[in-house]
Amino acid sequence: MVLDTANLIETKPIRINRVEIVGLKRTKDDVVKKATKCLFDSKTIGDVITKSVIVKRNLMQLECFNDVSAKLDVDSVDGQDKYYVTINVQECNWVQGHVKVVSDAHFDNNPDPKLSTGISFLNLFCRGEKLNFVSDIYSSNKKFSTGSISFTKPLLTLFSPYLYTTVFKNHYDRNRFGYSFDEYGLNAGLNLNHEYLKLNLLWEGVARDLKYAQNAPFGIREQLGLTMKSSVKITASYDTRDSGVFPSYGSLVQCCSEFAGIGGSHEFIKNDLTFQHTFSTILGFAVTGSFSFGILDKIGTSSGTCSILDNFYLGGPLTFRGFEECGVGKNEDGSITGSSMFWRYNTHVHAPLPFLSKKNKLSNLIRIHLFMNSGNVGNRLGNLTKDIRGLINNIRLSYGAGLALNVNNLMRLEINYCLPVLYSNNDSIVLNKNQWGFGLLFF
């Protein structure tokens, strides 16, 4: 018979006699046993419920099951109750593919749509491994533009680690900035997760070929050519927010550090910090404040070297509303080469639509969005006083309002009217200081 746990005392002592896995086809027994062995440590009904959730999380982490469910049975033998747990799994198809047309204008600065094709081999060696092939073709080029081959391997142990490696080739058209470039690279990394904490360790070796567009300014031309970069990147985050799209409470602390100089032609240390906190007020208003700061230091002989591709950029709906993409801090010759320092403080207020109750699904999908963006960019001069003065002089400021749409809890689509208030004469302001902008933010 199947137990009705609602009528049982969760603290009733029990002993699990058997765990049965139903539905396995390709997946090896040893990895499933490792994921489910914690059930035998259950001492009470409450323990079984808690550890069943852990087992489901462990199995779904392998990314080779569509569904996992657990059932607790009991039999009475010679007056003694014996408890059995049955785990029902539904394995994914081991080969999956996709063909779709997408536009990643904000991510690779190419407004042209592209045809993305990919094929994935899931559970490749029957222990959760995944091999993925992706190729993208832009409509303007009519040829192979980007592609990658990646391999991931989950490890069922403490902190839910998984290993990954990728070979990739990317092409970026930034003609309106005066250049385009191709990059060819290899990376390998380790990802760790524990409750609110995430840690990613990554090594990347990449060759980048920077090419100039027509009428490129001198600030771009002096950076042209083939360069090599070998770097180690560490990203750590602590996230207690209830949602990444429309948070109502919680905090985010994220630190990203990159050390380049283990071979290659670039030597620098790059650090980027982000602090964010959200709290709720009356009438369902959620107020979010965030502060970001980044600094890039050249190291090694001759003060080291770095590329404009490694610098910080501000501007556009993803970083600084009211300014064109990377439009904060243009050089005198009109080139956009980025900066070695930046700071940014943003305040957002998300409010529910009026005349709608909290039970209305529309109120959870669309919010009124009020915001204020401020920040500045600067370049390292080797003197702390001068560096601070450069970051506080000529601060940029913009504010505005609009609507924000929650798209499947994965991204936020914004339609905003923005008014830049403080800016420099060299900055690129959108639409003569007024901006109706669209932004698509992924989480």
Side-chain angles (χ1 to χ4, degrees):
M1 68 177 178
V2 179
L3 280 181
D4 181 8
T5 56
N7 297 323
L8 288 174
I9 301 176
E10 291 190 358
T11 57
K12 178 182 178 179
I14 66 169
R15 179 178 180 272
I16 299 298
N17 297 89
R18 187 180 70 214
V19 175
E20 182 180 3
I21 312 296
V22 178
L24 289 182
K25 296 179 181 178
R26 300 185 69 251
T27 308
K28 298 293 186 181
D29 292 341
D30 58 340
V31 69
V32 178
K33 289 179 180 178
K34 190 174 183 179
T36 59
K37 67 179 182 180
C38 63
L39 285 171
F40 289 103
D41 298 330
S42 302
K43 304 298 183 182
T44 64
I45 296 291
D47 286 345
V48 175
I49 297 173
T50 301
K51 294 185 184 301
S52 295
V53 175
I54 296 175
V55 167
K56 181 175 182 178
R57 184 184 62 199
N58 289 341
L59 292 175
M60 294 300 290
Q61 177 191 336
L62 297 175
E63 295 186 1
C64 55
F65 300 109
N66 286 324
D67 186 48
V68 177
S69 61
K71 183 175 66 174
L72 179 62
D73 296 332
V74 61
D75 285 335
S76 182
V77 180
D78 298 331
Q80 293 184 346
D81 291 337
K82 294 189 176 182
Y83 295 87
Y84 310 99
V85 176
T86 302
I87 306 294
N88 293 284
V89 298
Q90 181 183 358
E91 290 193 350
C92 304
N93 293 329
W94 77 285
V95 179
Q96 296 180 357
H98 74 263
V99 178
K100 56 186 177 181
V101 177
V102 295
S103 177
D104 294 336
H106 285 306
F107 298 95
D108 57 18
N109 292 285
N110 191 330
D112 298 320
K114 64 182 180 181
L115 178 67
S116 178
T117 59
I119 184 170
S120 300
F121 297 93
L122 307 180
N123 210 9
L124 186 62
F125 302 119
C126 306
R127 289 181 173 85
E129 301 85 359
K130 180 179 178 181
L131 184 64
N132 192 41
F133 298 85
V134 176
S135 175
D136 299 332
I137 301 176
Y138 283 98
S139 60
S140 58
N141 292 340
K142 301 294 190 301
K143 63 180 181 180
F144 170 79
S145 297
T146 67
S148 65
I149 303 173
S150 61
F151 177 80
T152 60
K153 167 65 177 177
L155 303 174
L156 292 177
T157 184
L158 188 64
F159 302 129
S160 304
Y162 70 84
L163 302 169
Y164 63 92
T165 183
T166 306
V167 179
F168 58 89
K169 184 266 182 184
N170 294 321
H171 174 77
Y172 298 91
D173 278 329
R174 296 181 177 176
N175 293 328
R176 64 193 182 96
F177 298 153
Y179 64 91
S180 64
F181 69 96
D182 296 302
E183 63 178 10
Y184 311 83
L186 167 69
N187 63 39
L190 171 66
N191 204 35
L192 303 174
N193 294 278
H194 181 66
E195 295 182 352
Y196 303 118
L197 181 64
K198 294 183 179 180
L199 179 65
N200 180 260
L201 307 175
L202 172 71
W203 169 83
E204 182 177 74
V206 59
R208 299 181 293 195
D209 187 12
L210 190 64
K211 307 171 184 177
Y212 73 93
Q214 188 175 7
N215 299 322
F218 179 75
I220 299 296
R221 292 175 181 266
E222 64 180 355
Q223 295 274 339
L224 301 179
L226 181 66
T227 58
M228 303 283 292
K229 183 181 78 167
S230 176
S231 65
V232 174
K233 184 181 294 186
I234 302 175
T235 303
S237 65
Y238 184 78
D239 190 355
T240 62
R241 299 173 300 172
D242 59 333
S243 170
V245 181
F246 286 145
S248 58
Y249 66 87
S251 300
L252 169 67
V253 179
Q254 180 171 290
C255 174
C256 180
S257 297
E258 181 180 7
F259 173 77
I262 311 174
S265 51
H266 297 307
E267 296 178 330
F268 62 84
I269 297 177
K270 183 179 181 180
N271 293 289
D272 188 355
L273 297 173
T274 299
F275 304 93
Q276 184 183 112
H277 182 69
T278 302
F279 62 93
S280 297
T281 62
I282 58 174
L283 303 177
F285 285 48
V287 181
T288 300
S290 66
F291 177 78
S292 300
F293 174 77
I295 186 168
L296 186 151
D297 273 319
K298 298 177 182 179
I299 59 174
T301 59
S302 300
S303 299
T305 60
C306 67
S307 169
I308 60 174
L309 304 178
D310 298 308
N311 287 339
F312 297 108
Y313 293 87
L314 285 184
L318 300 183
T319 57
F320 209 123
R321 298 165 180 84
F323 295 81
E324 288 186 355
E325 194 78 24
C326 307
V328 177
K330 270 189 175 181
N331 296 328
E332 294 293 338
D333 61 359
S335 62
I336 299 176
T337 57
S339 59
S340 57
M341 296 187 299
F342 87 96
W343 68 269
R344 181 177 69 243
Y345 177 77
N346 301 328
T347 300
H348 301 267
V349 178
H350 290 102
L353 294 174
F355 314 114
L356 291 180
S357 64
K358 292 184 179 179
K359 297 181 180 180
N360 193 308
K361 293 183 179 180
L362 191 61
S363 64
N364 296 322
L365 295 177
I366 303 178
R367 299 285 180 89
I368 297 174
H369 181 211
L370 309 175
F371 61 89
M372 183 278 295
N373 297 158
S374 61
N376 204 357
V377 295
N379 289 306
R380 294 278 285 165
L381 300 175
N383 182 283
L384 181 60
T385 303
K386 292 181 179 179
D387 291 344
I388 295 176
R389 186 180 297 117
L391 287 176
I392 62 177
N393 288 338
N394 206 10
I395 293 176
R396 279 75 168 180
L397 174 68
S398 66
Y399 60 85
L403 294 176
L405 173 66
N406 182 353
V407 182
N408 201 30
N409 286 325
L410 295 176
M411 63 188 79
R412 185 171 69 233
L413 175 64
E414 296 181 359
I415 305 175
N416 297 316
Y417 179 81
C418 187
L419 179 64
V421 180
L422 301 178
Y423 53 90
S424 170
N425 293 331
N426 291 331
D427 294 337
S428 296
I429 309 297
V430 177
L431 297 180
N432 295 324
K433 305 180 185 179
N434 297 325
Q435 175 191 17
W436 276 104
F438 293 87
L440 190 60
L441 288 77
F442 287 84
F443 297 89

